[in-house]
Every structure is written in C-alpha cells, then in structure tokens.
Amino acid sequence: MPVWCCRCSLAGHFRSYSDTETEGEIFNSLVQYFGDNLGRKVKAMPLVEETSLLEDSSVTLPVVIIGNGPSGICLSYMLSGYRPYLSSEAIHPNTILHSKLEESRHLSIIDQDLEYLSEGLEGRSSNPVAVLFDTLLHPDADFGYDYPSVLHWKLEQRHYIPHLVFGKGPPGGAWHNMEGSMLTISFGNWMELPGLKFKDWVSSKRRNLKGDRVMPDEIARYYKHYVKVMGLQKNFRENTFITSVSRLYRDQDDSDSQEIDVSKQHLQIEKSKIIKRNWEIRGYQRIGDGSHVPFCLFAENVVLATGTLDSPGHLEIEGEDFPFVFHSMPEFGAAVNKGKLRGKVDPVLIVGSGLTAADAVLFAHNNNIPVIHVFRRRVTDQGLIFKQLPKKLYPEYHKVYHMMCTQSYAGDSNLLSDYTSFPEHHVLSFKSDMKCILQSVSGLKKIFKLSAAVVLIGSHPNLSFLKEQGCYLGHKSSQPITCKGNPVEIDAFTYECVKESNLFALGPLVGDNFVRFLKGGALGVTHCLAIRQKKKQHLFVERGGGDGIA
C-alpha cells in the first residue's frame, strides 16, 4: 500500500475556504508563509472523501492539530479568521478589566496583550488566559450570574492560518464515547463554543428543556453541528490515527536543503549550525472498507489537543486483567445493557472517588445492582470533588456522597443490601474465582465475592506518537502526563511547550478539564501564531521578496 507523503498542498484546496477571495489574494496570503518559491511548489489537496488524505508537495503546513474535541474545534475556529472584539454596548462587571478593554477597543482580543488583560484575575483554572477568556465569555459565572458575553465575533479572512485537525472519530472527540444516560457536570452554556449558543441549538432539537445540565450525547451532536455550521469541515480529517510526531532539523547554511531527521551523525554537528524547524507527522486513515491508508505530512507547528481519556488508569495489581474487571463506564454500561449482570446477587466493586465513579454508583443503583465502593480518601477529605459542587445543582452526586459518608463498612458487620462504602481502603488483588481482597489503612484485609469490578481512578492521554510517550513535556519529566498530577509544562500566555518550541498543548493536557476553560488555550495559541505571522510578513517585505504583494 502506498504511503502518501506531503508538506501540504494548499492552493486549490485553500480556494474553497473563501468564495469571496480572489485567486491573487489567496496566493498572497500563502506567500506570506512560504516565500517566493511557493507558486511552483503548491499542488491541490483533495478532500478526504476524494482520496486517502493528501498529495505529495514540498510546502509545509503551518499548523497541525492532533485531536478534534472542543479544544481542537475552538482553535480551528480562531485560526479560520474569527476574531473576538469587545461589544459596543458591553460593560464588564469587573471595572478594572473593562477599563483595560476600553483602551484597545478597536483591536481584537487576539491582538492585545493577554498578560496585561489577565493580570489580577482569579478563577478555577491555573492558566491565566483561560481565566481571562472565561470571564469575557461568562462574566462572574462563579458567583452564580448568567451575564451575557461581552464579546462579539467577526470573520476576518485575511487572518486565516492554514491548518488541519486530525481526529479518530467525528468532531467532538471523546464526547461521542461518553455514557449517554448521565448529565454533564457543567451547565449547557458552559459547554458551548464561540458563535453558537448551546441553548439556541438545543431548543431547536427538543421541546422540553429541564434544567441547565444536559446529556453528553447532546454535547457531542452540538460539537459536530458546530463544525458544519461554522464552515470548518474542510479543516477536519476524521478516522485518522497519528503514529509518530518527530522533530526535523534544517541546516542554517543551506536554506534550500531538505529537512532531515535527527540522527547521531547530525547530532555531532555544531549546534550553532542547526536550528529546529519542522515536524514530521505520520499516521494512517481508516477508510470505508476498514483498510488503513498510511500518510506522512510536515508541519511548522503542532498542537496537542488529545484530551486525557485515551488510557484509563490501572491499579497495577494481580488479576486486574481478568475479564470481569472493567476500566471505563462504557464497558460497564455495555455489560449491564447486555444483561450480563442480570439476576446477580453478588455486588459490583467500584473503585474511585471521583465523578465517574459516582456515575457508576448511580448507574448500578438505577439497575438494582448492589455496590461495594472502595476509595483511598477519608470522606471528610476537602479535596473530594463533591465538596466543590452546590447541592441544589448537583443533587445526584450529593446523594452518592451522602451514601459514602453514612453507609460505610463497620468492622465485622455484613454488607448493606444496596451500597456499602469502604473509605481509606484499596484493592490488593483480584482472583480468578471473581473474588477481591481489600485492605484498610490499618492493614486489615477482607475478601468479597463479586459479579464485576469497575476501576475508575482517572485516565492518561495516549501520547505514544511522541518520544518518551511525551513524559519529557511534563512538569515531572520522569512521570506520565496527567491532567492533575503532571500536566504539560507550557508558557502561561502562548501555550507553547516549555521544553519543545513550535509544539503547543491545550485542554486537559495542561490541566483545563472543563470546556469553559480550555477555550482560553485556543486564544493563547492563536495570539502566539498571529504575532509570529506578522513577524514573517515583515521579514518577507524587508528581504524584498514581496514585490508589492505582501
């Protein structure tokens, strides 16, 4: 099977992004990126339905985004030329922030000093641009207010930056795989992306709107529709799997030399003669008949927007690979829906103290399945997520928390009929006869017979396409990347990886697990790339390559 190799072919394909642009304007915008050799090098890039992926060319794609969830979608929206401005009649409740916004009202937020605007703001994200963008989209949301956004959006096609977004499934990412019977933790309007109100979309799909929280499958359909209605489809490639992302280098003394991968030979060359330049991205696309079509392309910048749900966390104990041990809600839900646990008298063991574990408890309870709930923390631990959720807004989760506190195992007593919690316990092992051994913090061991076990202790991103599984990008370079414990270390205002230039990370990879905050990452990346684009244009004119075009 042939391998399609490209550095993106953009001219013919780019023309379809804007019917109003002339061919000359399109050429000029591309010249700003690639210089005066562009014209003889660019070929047309067919749509994914027409051939496998891309055709051979010698032009490097400015941006490749890996992951088509809300992070990748929002970034594609901004890279497509959509710009946020302060609305003419808007008054932000934060008077200091509003006065700063007034100073540069004529500029889009992307073109302003994000560090200056973010100064002094506080919120539920550790990333200052995420807090800034959230307070612009949802002013004072954490105080219970539902103020409208102070921003309005304009499509300015001259700011379009060519890019591709790769995803394993349809736009929306992991939202298409979440358990459909559970409500989202966030309000519907917090899940929306710029330019399309979720309430407006969902009201056209169903008549009865009960409350502000919605089902995950509705969110997934909203994201898929968003890509279509915003005209972003041509940037997206579905059913694509990335297998390798590697850094390429270019010799400074030979600007026309072809990019070369790092090898021992080149590592021996003086560092002063080598500069980091481009990325090589390899992978394959799964097509209609189930076969795989390999591809290879090159990019100037790569954005990691994979989320962290690829690889469920494991206890790493004996017997964890037995077929009765599940590691995700979809696995557990499928087993229940297929009737595999019907009529079972033995309880299901649920491990974990987060919201996914609580979802599993509720799911089992709704299906009349008794539960043993094991978690390491004390029920009074202030770090438990339930402590952060208002009771009125999240009654079902507080029901679980109430059971965790009041229905705990007491010494030699029997299990309760529907639910028994085991605070400050962990699982020692699973046995082939469907038994598990639990151990308390004091060392006391207990053996229980199970009908199934569900281990829900978090998840890790699959960054196997990067060297060292991407570990070197984290704050703790010797450990796997996780949303809470070891996120990717980034520049606070550009989202560029501290340890790898021209590589960016968004969303859960940098600790922003909520959609309302991950949108700030798209703002930071677009801001950074827009600045670099202007520098390139200026350099191009200085070198006399523009001939009046740039």
Side-chain angles (χ1 to χ4, degrees), residues 15 25 131 316 484 543:
R15 198 172 292 120
E25 288 172 326
V131 175
E316 307 295 343
K484 293 182 180 179
R543 288 178 175 175

Side-chain angles (χ1 to χ4, degrees), residues 56 65 102 117 126 135 139 147 165 181 187-188 196 256 287 294 347 401-402 407 424 495 508 541:
D56 179 52
I65 303 167
E102 285 285 2
L117 293 178
S126 59
T135 195
Y147 293 139
V165 185
S181 63
F187 299 123
L196 179 63
D256 291 327
I287 56 178
Y401 180 56
H402 180 73
Q407 295 181 223
E424 298 183 89
Y495 285 74
V541 172

Side-chain angles (χ1 to χ4, degrees), residues 229-288:
V229 76
M230 293 300 173
L232 308 179
Q233 310 102 304
K234 299 178 181 67
N235 302 325
F236 282 73
R237 297 294 180 267
E238 299 180 19
N239 302 314
T240 52
F241 298 79
I242 305 301
T243 57
S244 171
V245 174
S246 56
R247 170 71 81 180
L248 297 176
Y249 289 77
R250 183 193 297 272
D251 289 342
Q252 280 183 331
D253 294 339
D254 184 5
S255 61
D256 291 327
S257 66
Q258 294 192 358
E259 281 99 346
I260 48 178
D261 208 347
V262 181
S263 65
K264 291 182 180 178
Q265 176 186 354
H266 291 101
L267 288 176
Q268 293 170 358
I269 301 174
E270 272 185 66
K271 288 184 179 180
S272 61
K273 292 186 177 181
I274 298 180
I275 59 171
K276 295 180 180 180
R277 174 61 182 160
N278 294 91
W279 295 95
E280 179 192 75
I281 300 102
R282 291 182 177 270
Y284 63 87
Q285 183 186 32
R286 190 174 57 210
I287 56 178

Side-chain angles (χ1 to χ4, degrees), residues 104-147:
S104 302
R105 177 182 280 276
H106 62 291
L107 294 177
S108 77
I109 303 300
I110 289 172
D111 297 315
Q112 296 187 39
D113 184 341
L114 299 184
E115 184 172 1
Y116 173 63
L117 293 178
S118 303
E119 187 180 7
L121 297 179
E122 295 181 354
R124 290 195 291 159
S125 170
S126 59
N127 296 312
V129 177
V131 175
L132 167 65
F133 204 36
D134 178 66
T135 195
L136 295 175
L137 293 170
H138 308 289
D140 282 355
D142 286 333
F143 296 105
Y145 296 105
D146 190 21
Y147 293 139

Side-chain angles (χ1 to χ4, degrees), residues 210-223:
K210 296 180 179 179
D212 291 319
R213 292 169 61 204
V214 294
M215 300 290 188
D217 65 314
E218 289 181 309
I219 297 296
R221 285 186 281 115
Y222 164 80
Y223 290 145

Side-chain angles (χ1 to χ4, degrees), residues 482-493:
T482 60
C483 176
K484 293 182 180 179
N486 188 34
V488 174
E489 187 177 7
I490 56 168
D491 179 277
F493 301 98

Side-chain angles (χ1 to χ4, degrees), residues 460-531:
H460 307 292
N462 180 3
L463 299 176
S464 59
F465 51 82
L466 293 171
K467 70 176 183 180
E468 300 176 18
Q469 310 284 312
C471 293
Y472 76 104
L473 299 173
H475 288 264
K476 306 169 186 175
S477 58
S478 62
Q479 299 180 17
I481 299 296
T482 60
C483 176
K484 293 182 180 179
N486 188 34
V488 174
E489 187 177 7
I490 56 168
D491 179 277
F493 301 98
T494 67
Y495 285 74
E496 187 171 25
C497 295
V498 169
K499 296 165 185 173
E500 196 75 87
S501 61
N502 300 104
L503 182 66
F504 299 80
L506 303 175
L509 291 175
V510 299
D512 285 330
N513 223 10
F514 292 102
V515 174
R516 60 180 286 204
F517 293 115
L518 58 78
K519 291 174 279 193
L523 174 64
V525 173
T526 306
H527 169 77
C528 176
L529 295 178
I531 291 175

Side-chain angles (χ1 to χ4, degrees), residues 434-485:
M434 299 186 72
K435 291 181 180 178
C436 73
I437 302 177
L438 305 183
Q439 185 173 30
S440 70
V441 69
S442 63
L444 184 66
K445 297 178 182 178
K446 282 286 182 180
I447 301 176
F448 294 99
K449 184 79 164 61
L450 309 173
S451 61
V454 194
V455 178
L456 300 169
I457 55 172
S459 58
H460 307 292
N462 180 3
L463 299 176
S464 59
F465 51 82
L466 293 171
K467 70 176 183 180
E468 300 176 18
Q469 310 284 312
C471 293
Y472 76 104
L473 299 173
H475 288 264
K476 306 169 186 175
S477 58
S478 62
Q479 299 180 17
I481 299 296
T482 60
C483 176
K484 293 182 180 179

